[in-house]
Every structure is written in structure tokens, then in C-alpha cells.
Amino acid sequence: MLIPLILSGGSGTRLWPVSRRNLPKQFLSLAGHGTLFQQTVARTRALPEVAAPIVVASEDHRFLAAEQLLEAGIEGGTVVLEPLARNTAPAIALGALEALKRDPESLLLVLPADHLITETAAFTAAVTQALPLARQGWLATFGIRPDRAETGFGYIRRGEALGEGAFRVERFVEKPDLATAEGYLADGGYDWNSGMFLFRADRYLEELAAHAPAMLAAVRAAHAAAHADLDFVRVDKDAFAKVPEDSIDYAVMEKTTRAAVVPVSCGWSDIGSWSALWLAGERDADGNLREGDTLAVNTRNSLLRSHDRHLVATVGVDDLVVVTTPDATLVAHRDAAQDVKKIVEQLKRAGRSEHSFHRVVHRPWGSYDSLEAGERFQVKRIVVKPGASLSLQKHHHRAEHWIVVSGTAEVTCDDKVFLLGENQSTYIPLGSKHRLRNPGKVALELIEVQSGSYLGEDDIVRYDDVYGRA
């Protein structure tokens, strides 16, 4: 059984302000049709005898992963929730243990959820080529044929041939300086390290046992203590906290004697920065990648991305990144795009929310958009999906007014349950137990006006919640 293992725990800080902790880049539509996560899942469907995927995701993203699998028409997948980030080696071990529950001879195709591949046929051919190696016990990785001297990637040096189109890995090389990268390109024997792998699940665990036994023991303990939560496998947090943090490259691939590389040219990009997205996108005659409502005069080799109806206009500039969202605007030189993460670090240190949340916050029941806020008041636009409901809850410090814009609302307020239609409203007093539900077949949209001494999202006491939130 060939099982895709989708690693979806990244935060994508270099693509701020579009990518943020609660909605990172893998769950965004940045290039092509659908989100990067959905594209990753979709390209596995062309592989021979492929099973439903296993997804390893952060607890914060569990509903995003489940919903996007559903939108992609994927049934029977498994979403394993990491309570803490421990890098790729433990995440893959969790996936391997889940895979062995399905099939003791399962093959794992390990794919980061946030990469772009534009030539699916070439990717499929490379995986098919690597399958015999994996069945023979090799740990295969996919090397990307370099088309430029790139200092942002690690490299793989090819060794002796292992049949048609595959090679033993001679060594892994850290990210080089420009002169070294130019030498690798001229040499022709080096490939970019893509972070994609194919191997038997049991072989990976054998190698982990040989080279990182403490890690494997801790992962096994955390997985053994996992429990089902709705449609998720929730790994025990206390046990997982004891797992050492390391990447698959350091923990296994650089130490094993059975590492193989299959080189491939498949239009690959890790979309690791705005500059990488500019390189991967379709640029106009002036070398500009433009999305949304943009105007460019005497502008070259720039990335311009506007949000919704917000116009972005540039005059007489070259090599810029200009990105807007409802609550933030980024202007950067394209060559400095890797340093966007420093802005995120400053936001964290300042205790600001823009590194974590968008103005529009997605929830399993729908979304809310914070339209306006001031001292002792806040205005939100709330959208509830058909058939969905918020938790039964109360607030200690705020009251709420709800005005229905469209759809039908079923309101619970203490011991009363009643319906509201368009242009109708209600008042939820401070301290009242209340719930909002959409009983209809179309989205419910309403305006919520909060007033009180404290309006933070943590002023909430949940009594009942279908999504298992505390």
C-alpha cells in the first residue's frame, strides 16, 4: 500500500502578512488552483494503487486540514494532531506508526504540504521510478535538478548509479554561499534537497531505532497514548513533550548507508519567500507578478499583491515586494524577502496579534471579521455555515447585540430558543448562556456588536461544543 504522508505543521513566516500562524501558507491559494495543501494531496491521486493520505498537522490547524480534505473530495484520510512542533523526524515517525496500523508493508511517500509542483507528470514518473528502490529497503529522496545557483536550499551530492535514473547519496550539503552554489551548478552532480521521501514505514522506524533510539521510544509512547477525537488522532501532549526535536536529514538521512536519490525536474518550488513565489509565478512583460487590483507604471521585476478591492499602485520602482491585507501592508526589496520573518519576530516581541491572526479569523463553524474596535466596543461580521453552530457559552465581561443580515439564525439565550430572520435582532446580556446556530441551507450572516469592560477572545466559558474545544 502506497500511503502519502502529508507534513502540514509549518508556519510560513516568510510569507507574512498573508501567511500567519493560524492560517499558514499551506492552507492558502498562492499559485495555481486550490491551496498548496490541496494541490499536494491532488497530485498523489495519479499514483498507482495509492491509498488515502495520512496528514500530520498542528492542533491549531485540525479543522482547516479536515475541511480542505473534504473540499478536495478525499475520504478515509487520517489527520494526526501534533500537540507540539518537534520537526520532521518525529512527525514522520508518527505517520509511519499510523501507516503500519493499515498495512505492515506500507510504503510512505513523505511530502511537505506547502510546496508547489507545476509538472505533475514528471513528479509521478519520479515516484514510480523510486518505488522499486523503496521496496528493496532504500530510503529514497527526490533531488531537484538545479537551474540556477541557489543559496537558500541544501544540496545532495549524487554517488554511484543504482539503476536507471537513481543514485546512492554520496553526501548531504548545507546551504552554500553563492560561489559554492555556482560550483555545484557547474559540476552537474548536485541536486537541491526537496524534503520529499519514499520508503517503507518499517524501514524508516528501523533506521530511527539505530540512529535516534530515544526519539523513537518517546514517539512510540506518545502514539500509544493517543486517542480519537472526532475525526482526528490526538497525540498525548505530555508524552510528546519528551520527544527530542530533529529533522529527518540530521536524524536519519545523513547517517544511514541506504540513502538513495532520484533526480527530477518537475517545476518545484518550496515557496519559501515572496521572492520564491515571484520566481514560480507567471510574470508579465515587465517581469511583474501581479494579483488583485494593481496598477504598475514604470515598474519592473516586482511582486504586487492586493487584497480584495484595495488598489495597489506603483510608479518608478524595481525589484519590490508589495503585499496588502486588511490589517497590514508589506513593502520589501525582493532580495531581502527572506528577512520578512524578522518582522514577525518583532510583532511577537511587541505582543501584537498580527503575526498570528488575520482580521478574518476562520473557525470550524465559519468565520468572523473584526470590522471596528474601540474602548469598550467591538463590531464583527459573523458568517455561520449551513447546519453549523457555535458553542453554548457565556461571557463574564461583555454583552452582545446580534443583527441578522441574511439567512436564518436559531438563538439560544438562557432558557429561550427562537428564530431570527433578515433585519431582525436580539440582545445577549452579560453572563447569559447563549448559542448561535444556522438551521438553514444557506450561510447565515450577521453583525455582532460587543460592549463591555473586556472584549478579548479568552472571555468565554464553554458548556457544550460539538467541535471538542475546551
Side-chain angles (χ1 to χ4, degrees):
M1 185 182 292
L2 176 60
I3 303 175
L5 174 59
I6 313 298
L7 302 181
S8 187
S11 58
T13 56
R14 291 181 180 89
L15 289 179
W16 185 90
V18 172
S19 175
R20 306 191 189 185
R21 181 175 61 83
N22 272 41
L23 187 61
K25 66 174 181 173
Q26 59 267 33
F27 299 113
L28 298 170
S29 296
L30 294 172
H33 179 70
T35 68
L36 294 175
F37 175 86
Q38 289 173 324
Q39 290 179 38
T40 301
V41 173
R43 75 175 65 100
T44 68
R45 309 319 292 164
L47 296 169
E49 300 179 10
V50 69
I54 296 171
V55 177
V56 178
S58 163
E59 285 189 11
D60 291 339
H61 306 146
R62 61 194 186 279
F63 295 112
L64 284 169
E67 183 173 6
Q68 293 200 3
L69 283 175
L70 187 64
E71 289 176 357
I74 304 298
E75 297 180 357
T78 304
V79 180
V80 181
L81 302 180
E82 280 185 303
L84 302 163
R86 284 295 182 264
N87 215 318
T88 53
I92 295 169
L94 286 175
L97 292 170
E98 277 297 312
L100 291 176
K101 288 164 59 177
R102 295 193 198 176
D103 176 5
E105 298 181 352
S106 56
L107 294 167
L108 277 186
L109 175 62
V110 180
L111 303 173
D114 56 359
H115 289 184
L116 178 69
I117 291 177
T118 60
E119 299 172 26
T120 300
F123 165 78
T124 301
V127 174
T128 303
Q129 198 168 34
L131 282 170
L133 285 172
R135 292 191 180 105
Q136 294 164 20
W138 289 88
L139 278 65
T141 187
F142 299 91
I144 305 300
R145 296 275 194 183
D147 57 8
R148 63 186 185 276
E150 175 60 62
T151 61
F153 304 142
Y155 284 71
I156 300 170
R157 172 67 177 177
R158 283 180 248 129
E160 64 181 283
L162 297 172
E164 185 68 24
F167 302 85
R168 184 187 291 273
V169 171
E170 183 174 305
R171 70 179 183 274
F172 289 86
V173 183
E174 295 292 334
K175 296 176 183 177
D177 58 27
L178 183 58
T180 304
E182 288 172 342
Y184 291 163
L185 186 64
D187 179 279
Y190 291 83
D191 302 307
W192 292 335
N193 185 354
S194 71
M196 301 185 294
F197 306 92
L198 178 66
F199 37 65
R200 289 202 330 248
D202 60 348
R203 280 287 297 119
Y204 176 73
L205 296 179
E206 286 174 6
E207 293 285 352
L208 205 59
H211 304 296
M215 177 186 294
L216 179 58
V219 172
R220 283 190 184 278
H223 184 261
H227 65 276
D229 179 3
L230 299 177
D231 295 326
F232 309 109
V233 175
R234 188 181 291 274
V235 176
D236 185 79
K237 183 176 182 178
D238 291 338
F240 202 66
K242 299 175 183 177
V243 175
E245 181 176 355
D246 208 352
S247 70
I248 180 178
D249 289 342
Y250 289 135
V252 173
M253 297 302 293
E254 293 186 3
K255 297 174 180 176
T256 180
T257 61
R258 298 278 283 171
V261 59
V262 175
V264 59
S265 296
C266 57
W268 173 91
S269 172
D270 70 342
I271 312 295
S273 67
W274 288 114
S275 184
L277 186 61
W278 176 83
L279 275 172
E282 293 185 15
R283 303 183 292 278
D284 63 20
D286 292 317
N288 298 318
L289 178 62
R290 296 164 57 184
E291 183 172 341
D293 191 4
T294 63
L295 293 175
V297 176
N298 194 22
T299 298
R300 288 174 292 273
N301 302 323
S302 295
L303 185 152
L304 310 177
R305 185 184 178 102
S306 74
H307 170 81
D308 200 10
R309 295 177 297 276
H310 296 181
L311 172 64
V312 169
T314 57
V315 180
V317 298
D318 298 340
D319 304 312
L320 283 188
V321 172
V322 183
V323 179
T324 70
T325 65
D327 61 348
T329 298
L330 169 71
V331 180
H333 195 280
R334 222 184 63 243
D335 291 343
Q338 293 282 351
D339 291 332
V340 171
K341 64 180 180 179
K342 295 180 181 178
I343 296 291
V344 175
E345 292 165 1
Q346 286 192 30
L347 290 170
K348 288 180 181 178
R349 287 196 297 270
R352 299 182 58 147
S353 64
E354 291 95 334
H355 75 281
S356 290
F357 296 100
H358 286 272
R359 201 183 78 178
V360 177
V361 177
H362 294 270
R363 291 289 186 251
W365 46 261
S367 64
Y368 66 84
D369 183 357
S370 299
L371 302 176
E372 187 62 74
E375 189 175 352
R376 296 183 64 87
F377 83 91
Q378 186 166 222
V379 182
K380 292 182 176 181
R381 173 180 174 264
I382 294 177
V383 178
V384 184
K385 300 172 187 176
S389 68
L390 283 68
S391 59
L392 180 64
Q393 58 186 256
K394 76 173 182 181
H395 309 294
H396 290 298
H397 303 287
R398 72 175 186 251
E400 297 174 348
H401 295 259
W402 295 347
I403 305 101
V404 176
V405 176
S406 62
T408 301
E410 180 189 279
V411 178
T412 299
C413 186
D414 291 326
D415 57 351
K416 298 178 181 177
V417 179
F418 52 94
L419 297 178
L420 293 178
E422 257 181 53
N423 299 321
Q424 293 183 314
S425 63
T426 190
Y427 171 63
I428 307 296
L430 183 152
S432 292
K433 286 187 183 180
H434 61 277
R435 188 200 298 270
L436 177 64
R437 190 174 81 88
N438 180 359
K441 296 183 179 180
V442 298
L444 164 65
E445 180 180 345
L446 59 83
I447 299 298
E448 176 182 88
V449 181
Q450 303 175 355
S451 60
S453 60
Y454 179 73
L455 305 172
E457 286 300 308
D458 55 346
D459 177 22
I460 183 170
V461 179
R462 289 191 176 96
Y463 293 93
D464 178 56
D465 182 59
V466 297
Y467 307 108
R469 297 170 297 175

